[in-house]
Amino acid sequence: MANKSSDLKMPKVKTLERHPVLRLIASVLIPVVRLLFKVRPIGLEKLPKTGPYILVGNHVTNVDALAVAYFVYVYCKRAPHFLAKESLFRVPLLGRILTAAGQIPVYRSGKRNDAQMAAANAYLNSGHSIAIFPEGTLTRDPNFWPMRGKTGAVRLALDTGVPIYPIGQWGSEKVMPQYGAKFRPGFWKPVDILVGDEIDLSRFRKNQLTPPELYEATEIVMKEITKLVAQLRQEEPPAKLWDPVSAGQPVTGNFKKANHK
């Protein structure tokens, strides 16, 4: 039986998407982000100006969430809502700020995320947008290409019927290395975010989707993200998505530190 005392509080959906508390938090974070790096949006016109949608992107460093949140708030004029790892919400002050800003904690310890999915559904049903890194953690690909994704984003899109849009982002690795201590901020350093067309999941929008179909739909999503990253990098991506399980890597946590134990 789940230990209810350890369950994290879910955020409440506000009638006003960019509500006063979020505006206050943004007023503090926006100048900080602008000092750390320069977000450059491409293809912004592809995203709906109103109504619900799911934004899915690649995950290279811990700076990515700040870059995407800035992109959503400043350029899309929307409220950024993320599904984020639970450990962040257990940091006393940070956890309260994240919850107040409408972020959703996700368990990684084997606990069910029913309440989390319900919270994400509530935001989408209220016309908000949700941002998800489908890989579930920083990519394990040796060259930072997107790796195999998890099915949560696809299941959310199919359950709610909302559109899903891919973004490729590149540049954060020059600001903060993966799990590294050599933080290299600079307001002139670009982090490019390229928006792709809506991903067509129409053939998967049916009742009782099988696990193989869910994985197929997720792979389609990850390949669309990879195409965008390839455009930004101006390089040819790997033919196959990196699979950390096949490579014998842990699927959560600092895999580089684990490899050196």
Side-chain angles (χ1 to χ4, degrees):
M1 186 174 178
N3 181 5
K4 297 296 182 182
S5 64
S6 66
D7 288 349
L8 290 163
K9 183 180 179 181
M10 293 299 109
K12 293 182 179 179
V13 179
K14 307 291 186 182
T15 304
L16 183 64
E17 189 172 356
R18 301 210 310 179
H19 53 84
V21 174
L22 181 60
R23 288 180 180 274
L24 176 61
I25 295 170
S27 70
V28 175
L29 288 180
I30 286 174
V32 173
V33 172
R34 286 175 175 164
L35 285 173
L36 299 180
F37 48 82
K38 181 180 181 180
V39 175
R40 301 193 303 194
I42 309 166
L44 186 64
E45 69 281 356
K46 294 181 179 180
L47 292 175
K49 290 182 171 55
T50 60
Y53 61 82
I54 298 171
L55 205 61
V56 288
N58 59 309
H59 202 4
V60 180
T61 77
N62 288 322
V63 172
D64 299 341
L66 273 178
V68 175
Y70 183 95
F71 166 78
V72 171
Y73 189 90
V74 174
Y75 290 105
C76 300
K77 309 299 182 186
R78 307 292 300 268
H81 302 294
F82 286 87
L83 298 178
K85 60 182 180 181
E86 64 166 306
S87 59
L88 296 174
F89 294 79
R90 298 196 185 279
V91 179
L93 180 58
L94 177 61
R96 294 185 66 180
I97 292 173
L98 290 172
T99 302
Q103 312 314 311
I104 304 169
V106 175
Y107 298 125
R108 289 180 170 180
S109 56
K111 293 179 65 174
R112 292 180 63 89
N113 281 298
D114 295 339
Q116 286 74 4
M117 295 301 286
N121 268 272
Y123 274 113
L124 293 173
N125 290 332
S126 297
H128 295 227
S129 65
I130 294 284
I132 300 175
F133 297 117
E135 294 155 290
T137 189
L138 303 183
T139 181
R140 270 75 169 120
D141 183 278
N143 294 310
F144 298 159
W145 289 101
M147 66 174 182
R148 185 194 67 179
K150 297 184 178 181
T151 62
V154 164
R155 286 190 287 112
L156 188 60
L158 297 177
D159 287 346
T160 58
V162 305
I164 184 168
Y165 290 87
I167 57 171
Q169 64 84 23
W170 190 244
S172 68
E173 75 291 343
K174 291 183 173 62
V175 178
M176 173 181 282
Q178 273 193 333
Y179 305 111
K182 294 181 179 179
F183 189 36
R184 301 182 293 266
F187 63 87
W188 63 91
K189 292 189 174 183
V191 175
D192 293 323
I193 296 181
L194 174 60
V195 182
D197 295 318
E198 178 187 349
I199 301 174
D200 183 8
L201 296 178
S202 56
R203 68 187 178 94
F204 299 101
R205 296 189 185 277
K206 60 182 182 179
N207 293 328
Q208 297 181 339
L209 209 62
T210 65
E213 288 175 318
L214 266 177
Y215 286 116
E216 182 185 355
T218 301
E219 184 160 353
I220 289 172
V221 166
M222 294 310 305
K223 285 185 174 179
E224 289 299 317
I225 295 171
T226 302
K227 289 178 185 177
L228 298 174
V229 176
Q231 288 183 50
L232 292 176
R233 294 177 60 165
Q234 298 184 340
E235 298 176 32
E236 191 67 26
K240 187 177 179 181
L241 295 171
W242 183 266
D243 183 354
V245 175
S246 298
Q249 297 172 321
V251 295
T252 59
N254 187 338
F255 73 101
K256 293 186 177 181
K257 184 177 179 180
N259 288 344
H260 286 86
K261 284 185 178 181

